[in-house]
Amino acid sequence: MSNWFNEKILLGMNCREYISKHATLLNFMALIILCFSFYAMAYRLIYGLGPATNLSDTYPWGFWISFDILAGIALAAPGLTVGTVVYLFGAKDYKHFARPAILSSLLGYIFAVFALMFDLGRYYRVFYVIGWSWGLNSILFLIAWHFFLYIIICLIEWFPAFFEWLGIEKAKNFFSKLGIWATVFGVIIAGGHQSALGGLFLVAPTKIHPLWYSALLPLFFLVSALFAGISMVIIESTISHKVFRDQLKTFDRADFDNKTLGLAKALVIILFVYLILKVLDLTHYNNWHYLKSEYGYWYLLEVVGFVLAPALVLINSVKNKKVKLVRFTTFWVVTGVILNRFNVSLIAYNWYIPLQEKYYPTWMEIALSLGVVTLIVLFYRFIVRRMSILS
Amino acid sequence: MNRREFFKRSLTIAGSLLIARNSNASDQPLSVYSTQNKANKKNWEKFEELKKTNSQIDESYAVLVDITKCIGCRRCEWACNEWNKNPNRPVKEFEASKDEKPSVFDRVRRTHAGEFTVVNRFHSKNKPVYVKKQCMHCAEAACLNACFVDAFKKTPQGAVLYNPSLCVGCRYCMIACPFDIPAYEYYNALTPQITKCTMCFDRVTDGKVPACVESCTSDALIFGKRSEMLKLAYNTINKNPERYINHVYGEHEAGGTNWLYISQIPFEKLGFPELDKTPIPAHSKSFLFTVKVLEVVAAAPLVWGAYYMISKNRSKKEGKKDE
Amino acid sequence: MKRSIFIIIVFVLSGLILVQARNIYSVKEKPQTIKSPANKISIAHKEVFGSLEYGRVIFEHQKHIDSLSKVLKKSDSSICSECHSQNKYGDFIFDFPKDVDRKNPESLKNAYHKECLKCHQKLNIQKQKSGPTILSCRDCHKKDYEKTEIKYSVFEFDFALHDKHVKKHNKDCSLCHHIYDVEEKNKELALFYEKGTEQSCHYCHDLNQKRGPELSKIVKIAKERDLNMERACHTLCLNCHLSNKEQGKQAGPVVCSKCHTEKYKTVEDLKDIPRPEREQPQKAFINIEDAKMKGVAFDHSFHEKNNKTCRECHHETLRACKDCHTVKGDEKGGFVNLLTAYHSLNSKNSCQGCHRTAMNKNDCYGCHYFISPVTTEIANKEVCKRCHTGKKEIEKVSLLTIPSERVKKAVVIKHIEKEFEATKMPHYKMIQKLTDVSNQSKLATYFHRDITTICRGCHHKSKQDAEAKKDNPPICVSCHSVSFDSNALGRPRLESAYHTMCIKCHENMKLEKPKKCTECHERKKN
């Protein structure tokens, strides 16, 4: 048993070796973040939401929903985008990207739900929505079910790698065959709930600033999740190819760069689709006059500064084959998506109330979210080192 | 809650504030910290009980609020707290706030966990205008449709009731409510619940009027059948058209509500949201429909595509083998 | 190198975010409106230009007159022609610049720039003090001006001023009044004066009002010539004042602030001013021959004195109501029949509509908040007879007197004794006040024939059949029960009834007291 443990979990080292090998500065920082995060979790569980957060009756949803769920799920879309491209459209060239993408989706969703547990008042009742009482008219109900199904789908997609690691061939083959079906349903389900996250705010027409409120909110969320997903694929592959160089048996730099550029092309197209939709929306609701207000400038910053500008830079860099610039721009795009989620759910929400009554997070809310991000990174590293994800 | 327990709890809260709290909590009213309200549960149980008896109600009830008549005595708040067993203070203190400086009226308040209704003061031409705020009991309630465990129900009597035994505490109802009514027990770590006005369902079904209506000292609140209240509202407006704006708030707003308001100044100046006739749930319904259609319709070609891909792969492999 | 570009971009972006975040919550300044500007004119022409590229120019009119008269060594009034054009009668048209297509933004803009600068430059060459001469936009379109807005208050040519003009000009009405003959083919002759046709300028020159078929033909012509109230009055008044000044006669004001004072006279102020004479009757007998109702005696002179203008009743012409409003109603009277013309409760110009607004004012509204006027549909014979007497003489009515022996001095209300001290209501004093109010008003005196009318202000159900037979009016507790009556959901509790009645009455009569709850009932000390 201990032999198996040493082999599989500790990568052939014994405990002492393993710990001393991992005593790096970055790991130490992660440990500190986790300490604060666990303190925040415990504090939230013992004292409740009131003392731990700045949530109030005016702001029932705060940093956790905006960052962990809205932004987090959008950034966990690689599984949706790359899964579709590789498995459904048969773009085999991008198969490299598929397994890490699915893994990051799986971790993203599991930890989003994990973080959500701290936001729910009665987290222990969360299964009610699956099998106890159904609020069929609620968009949140749709999301809950889709999350539930999507995690199962991601698990099925990930199981081949998992069982390969455990060395159970039969199970691996079984889940490999299931994989394609899982992907099909994954696309439907993921598309459904990415848009539903935007749909959540359809019920607040008076509370969200008219520039952000639109019947097209679900579509905006879906499209922006698509480009967030592609950007995340590029970012992840960049980082993991740097960090896990040793994991790759054959690494063809030119080929990798080419594929990155290919993804960037798709990214540009989706960015422009999004922009066209935004202009359409502005015109349909005749909201142009709002652009002159302060919220309008902020809106312009989001749309021009974080969608149009990166799209133009991307066009240029794809033309001139500047891969590094592409990688940098994807960070830019992702920041834009996060900004958009914060705008819809926090800044444009309750837009009419004065500044001093606006919500801002406590340190505990931020620490908990940072901790969750750290956990995702650690788990990702843990799994990548042990299972054949990258190769 | 006896005094000792209350003391203990407030000490806990104060203690936790010192540890981890930033400033603005300390000047929040006590009702924010209130926990373990029983009123919502009690009303829900009564509703469940009555469902069995199968009693017939031909039309829902409504309360008509004549804003021009309210004198700001806040007795409705007191009576509400008293009946729903919320934290309360002597009625004297409620009444005094009208002339006090500083006064609770200085700030526009909203409902909180231990406070189902509040009276706010606005000014029109230097004259005070008092506006009572509580759940509007919409005909097609946003909270009801937002709830993903179906913990809200609209009763035939008109009240929108909440069932704490199902609630998961996601607070989506609070996002959805256009009137900012549902409040949450943020200071309860284990069994928090949403609290809101029940339109005194328990009293109404016993043939009484809501506690606030009974306690109103200036005839500003009138209770009756919704159609009659609408008639009364328009009669009142027609009698003194100079003193009222020709609008009954709640007749059509968000698909109609069971609390109606008439006023001398436009409602948007009194903190009422400007709503059209569309019920709030209608905004999300078309989306839900689209998703269902897409998922059912789009699923077929996608599955077919997948099947096609697999078979193509297989035939390729077989072709290779043949070579 | 690349890293530094990256850092710069991050800095710029975060800077942008910070700046925007601050902007979101900052409040924008609104232009400040100057209500009584010292003869300054705001040049913006928003009706032509829409939004302005460079903001408005605030033009110092007086300053220009002063310096021009100094340079040209001419009297004030004779230099107007420097800037303003004249028609063939020598009357000034107070437009600037002269002779320009005022509907075309480009030509208007060029004309302003050309005319202003031409003069400035001419003076500059002569080494005189001049305004800006070099083409720098912000010299005239100053940034500060965007923050200020100029608005002159409306000028009211009231009866006092009218009377002054009448006396001054020896009743020569033709100096101002004129009529326009639409039928006349020769436009030169269309405008003329005819004795006995004098009416208000508003009828033809107030272009915002909707008019009837007859008048709208004339209004259309006024519209074509752009003769709205502002231009019509400025041309008429200022030209006359200027020429008087020129001839050294005593003349009216020619500077803006002398007329646009924002001071208005009330009906009270105009009480002793004689009204214009236009052969109107002192007393009239309004009798429609084919109508069912008997005639109404009408005191025209009394109503004249109680209104600021004739237009309050004669909303379109100075003719009698029945001249336009026929019994059946037709196009001429805007399809308003005679019955409605006299009785409409919602019109400002009808008898009942006006009487009703009188009821909604001050003292009357204490009771009439609760007691609405009777509409013609439900009125009984007795009510109609008040006006429709059929006699040419107006009925003489006596003032109300209080039967002191039957009225309680004070009423003590103590049903809320548990919490509050008893309230002493000065019953007699209240009646006294209400009776005085009624007696002071001629309108009220005419309609309140009996002291019980006053009682009904509070004892509102005393006319109900069951109550009317009783000797005493019903008291509040007869109907309003102390605790909530579930059988009568719409009927207020006693406490509510008192509060509504007392507070609404005090509020509507604008009485100072009581402001606080304790001014009526002290809280009991326990």
Side-chain angles (χ1 to χ4, degrees):
Chain A
M1 183 61 209
S2 82
N3 200 17
W4 181 89
F5 183 78
N6 280 356
E7 196 58 44
K8 289 285 183 196
I9 304 292
L10 302 183
L11 298 169
M13 296 174 255
N14 60 30
C15 267
R16 192 168 295 165
E17 277 171 353
Y18 187 80
I19 290 167
S20 66
K21 194 183 167 240
H22 281 84
T24 59
L25 182 65
L26 276 176
N27 280 339
F28 181 67
M29 274 166 64
L31 187 70
I32 289 177
I33 293 178
L34 284 182
C35 281
F36 278 109
S37 174
F38 287 139
Y39 173 80
M41 290 176 194
Y43 192 89
R44 143 75 185 99
L45 293 181
I46 296 166
Y47 291 99
L49 279 170
T53 66
N54 264 353
L55 296 175
S56 66
D57 288 325
T58 353
Y59 275 97
W61 284 358
F63 188 77
W64 288 342
I65 296 287
S66 302
F67 185 76
D68 300 344
I69 301 295
L70 296 179
I73 294 296
L75 302 189
L80 163 68
T81 51
V82 181
T84 323
V85 170
V86 174
Y87 289 114
L88 284 184
F89 300 121
K92 291 267 169 54
D93 303 348
Y94 291 95
K95 204 166 184 184
H96 265 43
F97 294 93
R99 272 194 169 178
I102 285 163
L103 176 63
S104 58
S105 281
L106 175 66
L107 289 175
Y109 275 82
I110 287 180
F111 279 100
V113 173
F114 173 71
L116 181 67
M117 289 302 113
F118 295 96
D119 192 69
L120 289 181
R122 294 186 172 193
Y123 38 86
Y124 46 87
R125 276 182 178 175
V126 75
F127 64 88
Y128 274 26
V129 66
I130 305 298
W132 189 262
S133 177
W134 288 359
L136 287 170
N137 284 326
S138 170
I139 291 180
L140 202 59
F141 174 78
L142 187 89
I143 291 178
W145 261 91
H146 279 58
F147 271 27
F148 173 66
L149 291 175
Y150 196 66
I151 288 178
I152 293 176
I153 284 165
C154 281
L155 276 176
I156 292 174
E157 289 180 298
W158 171 70
F159 272 154
F162 178 67
F163 286 114
E164 195 184 320
W165 173 59
L166 285 181
I168 308 170
E169 275 298 307
K170 259 189 189 172
K172 187 206 154 181
N173 287 338
F174 175 72
F175 282 111
S176 289
K177 272 178 201 158
L178 268 186
I180 184 104
W181 298 102
T183 315
V184 172
F185 288 114
V187 170
I188 300 166
I189 297 284
H193 74 244
Q194 290 287 6
S195 54
L197 284 173
L200 279 180
F201 294 93
L202 285 178
V203 294
T206 49
K207 290 168 149 187
I208 291 177
H209 192 278
L211 277 175
W212 279 273
Y213 183 83
S214 153
L216 289 183
L217 259 180
L219 194 59
F220 289 146
F221 267 56
L222 178 63
V223 177
S224 56
L226 286 180
F227 62 68
I230 297 179
S231 305
M232 281 309 283
V233 172
I234 298 178
I235 290 172
E236 270 167 44
S237 60
T238 309
I239 294 175
S240 52
H241 279 75
K242 241 179 208 161
V243 180
F244 306 113
R245 180 66 63 77
D246 51 318
Q247 297 262 320
L248 299 162
K249 282 160 207 151
T250 52
F251 177 57
D252 182 354
R253 176 159 277 283
D255 177 53
F256 177 59
D257 285 354
N258 254 337
K259 277 172 190 161
T260 309
L261 286 177
L263 286 174
K265 270 182 211 164
L267 184 55
V268 171
I269 294 168
I270 302 175
L271 282 172
F272 274 102
V273 168
Y274 182 77
L275 279 172
I276 291 166
L277 283 174
K278 276 276 175 189
V279 174
L280 195 81
D281 175 60
L282 265 184
T283 317
H284 175 74
Y285 284 94
N286 199 9
N287 276 342
W288 290 93
H289 61 281
Y290 281 111
L291 289 182
K292 268 190 198 158
S293 67
E294 277 73 27
Y295 271 99
Y297 300 145
W298 184 250
Y299 175 84
L300 282 179
L301 178 78
E302 182 199 311
V303 176
V304 175
F306 286 93
V307 185
L308 182 64
L312 294 176
V313 172
L314 272 177
I315 289 178
N316 178 41
S317 51
V318 169
K319 248 187 196 164
N320 301 326
K321 298 204 184 302
K322 288 182 189 161
V323 185
K324 274 199 177 161
L325 193 55
V326 169
R327 287 182 187 137
F328 162 71
T329 321
T330 50
F331 276 102
W332 192 353
V333 173
V334 165
T335 321
V337 175
I338 296 176
L339 178 68
N340 171 259
R341 299 303 191 258
F342 272 94
N343 276 347
V344 172
S345 62
L346 283 180
I347 294 175
Y349 182 79
N350 277 343
W351 58 285
Y352 37 77
I353 69 170
L355 177 60
Q356 56 269 24
E357 285 166 38
K358 278 240 163 203
Y359 161 89
Y360 54 92
T362 58
W363 72 262
M364 278 197 272
E365 292 179 77
I366 297 173
L368 194 142
S369 289
L370 275 183
V372 171
V373 173
T374 315
L375 279 177
I376 293 178
V377 172
L378 290 179
F379 268 85
Y380 189 81
R381 188 180 71 180
F382 181 84
I383 292 173
V384 163
R385 286 222 169 119
R386 282 160 188 80
M387 298 168 204
S388 64
I389 300 289
L390 289 176
S391 53
Chain B
M1 201 188 314
N2 60 32
R3 183 172 290 176
R4 194 167 167 186
E5 202 183 39
F6 169 68
F7 191 56
K8 233 158 83 185
R9 182 165 289 147
S10 45
L11 260 188
T12 331
I13 292 163
S16 56
L17 281 176
L18 283 177
I19 300 164
R21 217 23 222 196
N22 47 34
S23 59
N24 63 8
S26 50
D27 56 9
Q28 277 173 336
L30 195 69
S31 61
V32 172
Y33 304 114
S34 165
T35 55
Q36 318 250 297
N37 179 275
K38 297 278 191 299
N40 282 286
K41 197 174 177 206
K42 191 179 146 202
N43 277 283
W44 182 265
E45 280 161 3
K46 177 124 200 203
F47 171 61
E48 293 274 286
E49 209 178 283
L50 278 175
K51 256 204 299 196
K52 288 172 207 155
T53 59
N54 207 5
S55 55
Q56 286 289 312
I57 303 257
D58 47 342
E59 208 210 329
S60 64
Y61 294 99
V63 178
L64 173 66
V65 185
D66 187 340
I67 290 173
T68 65
K69 283 185 178 170
C70 181
I71 55 170
C73 69
R74 292 179 74 210
R75 273 187 181 244
C76 48
E77 283 186 41
W78 178 84
C80 177
N81 289 343
E82 197 69 11
W83 177 258
N84 292 306
K85 308 219 166 42
N86 276 328
N88 212 355
R89 292 190 303 280
V91 68
K92 264 188 211 176
E93 287 179 33
F94 280 85
E95 269 176 355
S97 51
K98 190 175 181 254
D99 303 321
E100 261 173 1
K101 264 176 205 167
S103 137
V104 281
F105 284 127
D106 295 345
R107 212 162 52 93
V108 173
R109 299 177 298 151
R110 60 154 291 155
T111 52
H112 287 301
E115 211 171 14
F116 298 169
T117 181
V118 287
V119 180
N120 279 318
R121 178 156 67 192
F122 296 87
H123 289 275
S124 146
K125 293 173 197 151
N126 286 328
K127 269 168 78 184
V129 179
Y130 297 96
V131 183
K132 183 181 182 295
K133 180 175 183 160
Q134 75 299 309
C135 177
M136 299 285 287
H137 298 279
C138 312
E140 288 184 58
C143 54
L144 189 150
N145 271 272
C147 185
F148 73 152
V149 286
D150 206 16
F152 286 92
K153 276 280 176 303
K154 175 92 180 168
T155 69
Q157 285 85 352
V160 174
L161 292 185
Y162 161 79
N163 176 6
S165 62
L166 276 181
C167 179
V168 179
C170 71
R171 307 188 295 285
Y172 187 40
C173 48
M174 296 165 74
I175 295 274
C177 178
F179 304 104
D180 290 315
I181 295 305
Y184 185 72
E185 291 179 349
Y186 283 101
Y187 289 83
N188 186 340
L190 263 184
T191 56
Q193 53 173 345
I194 296 284
T195 66
K196 72 180 236 344
C197 156
T198 60
M199 209 166 156
C200 286
F201 181 78
D202 43 353
R203 291 172 60 94
V204 170
T205 47
D206 285 352
K208 287 190 272 187
V209 298
C212 51
V213 177
E214 176 158 347
S215 71
C216 181
T217 58
S218 64
D219 199 24
L221 306 177
I222 303 163
F223 179 83
K225 291 261 189 292
R226 188 167 185 268
S227 60
E228 282 168 26
M229 289 302 105
L230 271 174
K231 257 183 237 161
L232 181 65
Y234 279 113
N235 274 343
T236 319
I237 292 174
N238 289 339
K239 230 169 133 191
N240 284 294
E242 286 87 0
R243 296 295 164 113
Y244 290 94
I245 53 163
N246 188 13
H247 183 179
V248 180
Y249 194 94
E251 186 188 5
H252 298 299
E253 267 75 10
T257 62
N258 282 62
W259 275 68
L260 306 166
Y261 285 78
I262 50 177
S263 157
Q264 68 273 52
I265 52 174
F267 288 100
E268 57 266 23
K269 286 184 188 159
L270 300 174
F272 287 86
E274 281 179 79
L275 293 163
D276 52 12
K277 289 183 184 182
T278 338
I280 297 291
H283 290 282
S284 64
K285 253 181 194 151
S286 54
F287 167 69
L288 273 173
F289 178 71
T290 320
V291 167
K292 279 171 199 160
V293 168
L294 275 182
E295 290 193 347
V296 174
V297 175
L302 275 170
V303 170
W304 181 80
Y307 179 73
Y308 178 73
M309 288 306 302
I310 294 169
S311 56
K312 210 168 85 181
N313 280 351
R314 251 187 221 150
S315 62
K316 260 187 196 169
K317 269 182 197 164
E318 277 160 12
K320 270 179 192 168
K321 269 177 197 168
D322 289 349
E323 276 169 25
Chain C
M1 180 60 204
K2 268 176 191 160
R3 184 169 293 175
S4 62
I5 289 175
F6 175 74
I7 291 170
I8 287 169
I9 290 175
V10 168
F11 262 92
V12 169
L13 279 181
S14 48
L16 266 176
I17 292 177
L18 281 178
V19 169
Q20 293 302 334
R22 205 203 55 186
N23 276 348
I24 282 192
Y25 303 113
S26 62
V27 188
K28 215 172 188 180
E29 265 181 84
K30 268 195 185 157
Q32 200 188 346
T33 309
I34 303 178
K35 272 279 176 64
S36 52
N39 305 329
K40 290 176 187 170
I41 293 169
S42 159
I43 303 173
H45 294 287
K46 290 216 165 132
E47 75 284 358
V48 183
F49 294 116
S51 67
L52 296 171
E53 194 181 343
Y54 267 103
R56 64 178 77 79
V57 173
I58 289 178
F59 177 76
E60 304 259 1
H61 194 251
Q62 192 59 43
K63 233 173 165 180
H64 280 79
I65 295 173
D66 291 349
S67 61
L68 264 178
S69 62
K70 213 183 277 170
V71 171
L72 300 172
K73 300 200 175 63
K74 280 191 193 167
S75 68
D76 281 6
S77 44
S78 56
I79 55 160
C80 301
S81 56
E82 292 292 318
C83 298
H84 300 295
S85 59
Q86 280 162 289
N87 64 10
K88 60 181 171 235
Y89 307 112
D91 288 340
F92 286 107
I93 312 291
F94 292 102
D95 276 339
F96 180 81
K98 295 177 186 176
D99 316 319
V100 62
D101 178 10
R102 306 191 73 82
K103 300 243 156 74
N104 180 353
E106 200 52 32
S107 72
L108 186 59
K109 186 180 91 183
N110 291 338
Y112 263 111
H113 289 162
K114 210 177 106 197
E115 288 288 315
C116 294
L117 286 171
K118 195 174 80 187
C119 196
H120 286 180
Q121 275 163 350
K122 202 167 91 190
L123 291 179
N124 198 34
I125 291 165
Q126 293 169 0
K127 298 268 150 73
Q128 305 269 15
K129 207 180 140 204
S130 75
T133 54
I134 317 161
L135 268 177
S136 160
C137 308
R138 288 284 179 211
D139 279 348
C140 299
H141 300 267
K142 284 183 187 161
K143 196 102 200 168
D144 290 358
Y145 293 162
E146 285 173 21
K147 286 183 210 149
T148 41
E149 202 162 25
I150 281 179
K151 210 168 197 176
Y152 282 97
S153 54
V154 176
F155 168 63
E156 247 177 31
F157 190 76
D158 53 41
F159 284 145
L161 274 171
H162 189 269
D163 189 51
K164 215 168 148 189
H165 281 80
V166 170
K167 283 186 180 129
K168 187 92 205 160
H169 297 293
N170 296 322
K171 298 191 179 176
D172 181 2
C173 309
S174 68
L175 285 173
C176 303
H177 288 280
H178 51 251
I179 52 170
Y180 189 88
D181 189 357
V182 194
E183 304 294 320
E184 178 66 54
K185 295 255 163 55
N186 187 354
K187 296 285 173 223
E188 293 282 302
L189 300 172
L191 201 70
F192 58 93
Y193 169 75
E194 195 184 311
K195 183 97 191 119
T197 57
E198 303 88 353
Q199 326 194 61
S200 162
C201 331
H202 283 85
Y203 293 150
C204 302
H205 291 287
D206 190 351
L207 306 182
N208 299 324
Q209 296 281 334
K210 240 185 131 182
R211 298 292 181 195
E214 207 171 294
L215 213 52
S216 56
K217 284 179 202 152
I218 301 175
V219 172
K220 203 178 147 208
I221 291 161
K223 216 174 231 166
E224 275 163 18
R225 301 193 183 170
D226 206 10
L227 279 168
N228 55 15
M229 279 301 281
E230 188 189 334
R231 284 164 66 89
C233 293
H234 279 156
T235 314
L236 186 75
C237 304
L238 283 174
N239 271 309
C240 194
H241 292 179
L242 279 169
S243 73
N244 278 346
K245 211 172 172 192
E246 189 78 336
Q247 291 160 22
K249 287 190 210 159
Q250 191 193 351
V254 288
V255 282
C256 317
S257 52
K258 285 275 163 60
C259 289
H260 298 274
T261 50
E262 220 188 331
K263 280 178 199 149
Y264 302 110
K265 291 205 166 72
T266 59
V267 179
E268 275 308 296
D269 298 336
L270 298 169
K271 202 145 211 174
D272 302 324
I273 308 289
R275 298 302 193 250
E277 281 166 37
R278 211 176 153 281
E279 292 162 14
Q280 69 270 41
Q282 289 290 313
K283 296 226 159 76
F285 180 60
I286 303 171
N287 192 21
I288 315 297
E289 272 166 25
D290 45 354
K292 282 180 190 164
M293 295 302 293
K294 286 177 183 167
V296 175
F298 178 71
D299 188 346
H300 194 273
S301 59
F302 173 80
H303 284 84
E304 267 177 37
K305 295 264 168 181
N306 268 291
N307 283 302
K308 265 174 96 175
T309 64
C310 309
R311 280 177 291 134
E312 315 253 322
C313 301
H314 296 276
H315 54 104
E316 206 164 300
T317 65
L318 281 185
R319 275 181 275 167
C321 310
K322 60 181 174 186
D323 285 359
C324 299
H325 299 286
T326 53
V327 176
K328 284 186 178 150
D330 58 16
E331 199 198 350
K332 203 176 158 201
F335 295 104
V336 175
N337 64 18
L338 200 56
L339 177 85
T340 317
Y342 285 127
H343 298 101
S344 168
L345 282 173
N346 302 315
S347 166
K348 281 178 192 159
N349 313 111
S350 76
C351 306
Q352 276 218 42
C354 194
H355 285 173
R356 180 193 177 189
T357 30
M359 272 160 46
N360 287 359
K361 268 185 228 154
N362 314 329
D363 293 344
C364 309
Y365 205 47
C367 294
H368 282 289
Y369 175 82
F370 300 100
I371 302 168
S372 353
V374 188
T375 56
T376 41
E377 286 83 4
I378 57 161
N380 57 23
K381 227 179 195 175
E382 194 193 335
V383 177
C384 299
K385 263 190 185 164
R386 286 284 154 84
C387 299
H388 293 272
T389 51
K391 292 171 196 152
K392 291 197 175 172
E393 273 307 303
I394 294 159
E395 255 184 274
K396 288 262 184 306
V397 280
S398 52
L399 297 179
L400 295 177
T401 45
I402 308 171
S404 334
E405 70 290 346
R406 286 193 60 198
V407 174
K408 271 189 194 163
K409 284 277 172 289
V411 174
V412 179
I413 304 165
K414 47 185 175 183
H415 78 276
I416 42 172
E417 246 178 349
K418 269 186 204 162
E419 287 180 74
F420 296 93
E421 300 289 346
T423 307
K424 271 193 203 111
M425 193 180 77
H427 189 240
Y428 190 87
K429 220 173 116 191
M430 286 160 63
I431 295 174
Q432 185 112 52
K433 162 90 183 173
L434 290 172
T435 313
D436 286 351
V437 165
S438 173
N439 285 343
Q440 272 159 24
S441 155
K442 199 174 169 186
L443 181 65
T445 314
Y446 189 79
F447 284 97
H448 301 170
R449 298 285 171 90
D450 188 31
I451 188 71
T452 53
T453 320
I454 301 293
C455 303
R456 280 208 295 281
C458 298
H459 301 271
H460 54 118
K461 291 288 182 196
S462 52
K463 256 203 153 180
Q464 301 282 309
D465 294 342
E467 298 294 341
K469 283 173 200 147
K470 282 196 224 160
D471 194 27
N472 278 322
I475 56 170
C476 306
V477 82
S478 319
C479 302
H480 301 277
S481 52
V482 173
S483 59
F484 205 90
D485 184 359
S486 56
N487 292 324
L489 292 178
R491 191 185 300 162
R493 288 186 299 141
L494 185 57
E495 197 179 337
S496 302
Y498 273 123
H499 275 158
T500 314
M501 194 64 95
C502 302
I503 292 172
K504 275 289 165 211
C505 188
H506 278 237
E507 205 178 283
N508 291 329
M509 289 181 77
K510 302 208 168 59
L511 301 178
E512 280 300 305
K513 273 167 91 176
K515 276 202 169 121
K516 289 180 178 176
C517 309
T518 48
E519 281 173 38
C520 291
H521 35 61
E522 278 296 338
R523 206 167 238 295
K524 260 197 179 160
K525 291 180 185 97
N526 41 2

